[in-house]
Amino acid sequence: MTPITYELKKTCKQTGARLGRVHTPHGSFDTPTFMPVGTLATVKTMSPEELAEINANIILSNTYHLWLRPGEDIIKEAGGLHQFMNWNGAILTDSGGFQVFSLSENRHITEEGVHFRSHLNGEKLFLSPEKAIQIQNALGSDIMMALDECPPYPAEYQYMKSSVERTSRWAERCLKAHERKGEQGLFGIIQGGEYEALRKQSARDLISLDFPGYAIGGLSVGEPKDVMNRVLEFTTPFMPSHKPRYLMGVGSPDSLIDGAIRGVDMFDCVLPTRIARNGTCMTSNGRLVVRNAKYARDFAPIDKNCDCYVCKNYTRAYIRHLIKCNETFGFRLTTYHNLYFLLKLMEQVRKAISEDRLGSFREEFFEQYGFNKP
Ligand SMILES: CCOC(=O)Nc1nc2cc3nc(NC)[nH]c3cc2c(=O)[nH]1
Ligand SMILES: [Zn+2]
């Protein structure tokens, strides 16, 4: 019996989007939704109270990083990740696969698993499906991810085919190694690159293993947005409609809307928190680089259409000053606003779906944000 269930509430008449609700041992959340990324057991500069305040219901943490520092044994001893970081909402942990493939040099993939060197001190490491599950079982996350290979973009058909088949074999090994089936849900990750036949094969292999939810991997890895949208268009129909669909690594406002239109329910991305730390904010009129000199005497809020705590109490001039002085409070303010902006956007997307007008909402939002500008 899986502790992760999905309720399909409604499908938008104007698009392929859907309203749903995911239930986990640490609370439920409406979908489509955005999940802030808390790589090292913290959403950088945000307190759990602030995350709750902006209605973040589920956050991500990275298996690979927590395995290296502080080590899953310490977190297990603390009573698990929720206890360790004092977060009572839901947590999704990735398998670490992507970090290994993107962070580490001279990695070597075998049937057994991935051999690579630590990005911290270069020591030799080995991650297998069983190890990835053992770490996530120790962390006690609500949603775990199977260990997959996220191939580089672009990749040859033949390479992609054998990679998909190995990812499917690894998924089965993950299921077998999963010790806490009643307490933690495990999602399979559909790969296959931009090849429809391989996406179909990957989906069919994983669906036969009956996971409670499925992620779409191998995207947001440098491919053009129209390629991502095309792959989503032919992949989501292969996925069960009564289970959550999670698109990994996607977080710009246009991609969130276009992903929701194509039937995606869950998204994660470091974008909002990462650009916040270099002084860039998302606003209803596009990106605003608040460290820019032109805001030195601008006493308006980051976004006059935003009702967040930051936009109600602080000005562009003040936040610019803090960022220029490398003051931590400045990064806290830009991060808080960016996360609020994306979570609010997903709330507007859910409302548009409930009113069968997500297509029209897309046009209005793209126009105002400036996505249509040539
Ligand atoms: C979050 C779960 O991650 C995994 O366990 N494997 C995995 N992670 C990905 C993360 C990604 N981030 C991006 N863009 C920023 N693309 C990604 C793909 C994967 C993936 O295929 N597989
Ligand atoms: Zn704001």
Side-chain angles (χ1 to χ4, degrees), residues 32 42 88 112 118 123 140 150 153 201 207 209 217 222 224 237 256 297 303 316 319 330 344 349 360 367:
T42 166
N88 298 320
E112 263 317 284
S118 158
E123 73 168 291
C150 173
Y153 174 81
Q201 178 182 342
I207 291 165
L209 296 170
L256 291 174
R297 296 171 187 280
D303 183 350
R316 293 167 174 185
I319 296 172
K344 194 82 180 172
V349 164
S360 326
E367 189 56 38

Side-chain angles (χ1 to χ4, degrees), residues 60 62 92-99 145-150 189 191 216-221 246 248-250 268-269:
L60 244 82
N62 279 134
L92 182 149
T93 46
D94 69 353
S95 64
F98 186 73
Q99 278 65 39
M145 303 308 291
L147 180 66
D148 63 329
E149 181 195 358
C150 173
I189 303 178
Q191 294 289 351
I216 302 165
L219 289 175
S220 185
V221 285
Y246 161 30
M248 308 168 119
V250 168
D268 89 275
C269 193

